[in-house]
């Protein structure tokens, strides 16, 4: 589902996509690893190169590339890696999600 919103800064309309929730979308009692895996699977299944749910842990990075170790964003200060999952999509690209606390 697509929604439009007005950006106050530029007085223009931008579009963003909203995604359905699932059992991991609010991360509830799931571990960070389980949440990373669920998000990577969803991204790969739907060909989405972007964050789809709420942030996992204190910092979340995602990446899309030709390798399961494709680059993701990383925190700028010392945090501990708590989840790292990569899933290959139908087109052969890898979708990777990592989280830190």
């Amino acid at each position: 589902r697509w929604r439009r919103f007005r950006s106050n800064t530029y007085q223009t309309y931008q579009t963003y996509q909203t995604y359905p929730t699932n059992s991991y979308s609010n991360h509830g009692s799931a571990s960070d690893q389980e949440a990373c895996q669920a998000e990577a699977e969803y991204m790969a299944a739907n060909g989405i190169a972007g964050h789809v749910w709420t942030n996992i842990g204190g910092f979340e990075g995602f990446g899309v590339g030709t390798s399961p170790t494709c680059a993701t964003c990383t925190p700028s200060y010392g945090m501990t890696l708590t989840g790292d999952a990569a899933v290959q999509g139908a087109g052969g690209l890898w979708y990777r999600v990592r989280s830190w606390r």
Side-chain angles (χ1 to χ4, degrees):
R1 192 169 66 167
W2 292 91
R3 293 186 180 171
R4 292 174 62 86
F5 70 95
R6 185 174 176 176
S7 169
N8 291 332
T9 306
Y10 299 107
Q11 300 300 310
T12 60
Y13 286 91
Q14 300 176 7
T15 304
Y16 70 97
Q17 189 169 3
T18 57
Y19 301 103
T21 59
N22 76 0
S23 60
Y24 292 108
S25 62
N26 65 3
H27 311 305
S29 61
S31 71
D32 287 355
Q33 179 62 39
E34 290 170 327
C36 286
Q37 183 69 36
E39 188 164 329
E41 288 173 1
Y42 186 85
M43 290 168 60
N46 294 282
I48 299 168
H51 296 283
V52 293
W53 299 314
T54 59
N55 192 49
I56 301 170
F59 185 91
E60 175 186 334
F62 78 89
V64 178
T66 57
S67 154
T69 58
C70 58
T72 68
C73 291
T74 57
S76 60
Y77 58 92
M79 298 180 87
T80 302
L81 184 68
T82 57
D84 187 346
V87 176
Q88 192 169 28
L93 287 176
W94 286 87
Y95 296 79
R96 186 178 186 193
V97 179
R98 297 195 295 172
S99 63
W100 288 263
R101 287 188 186 269

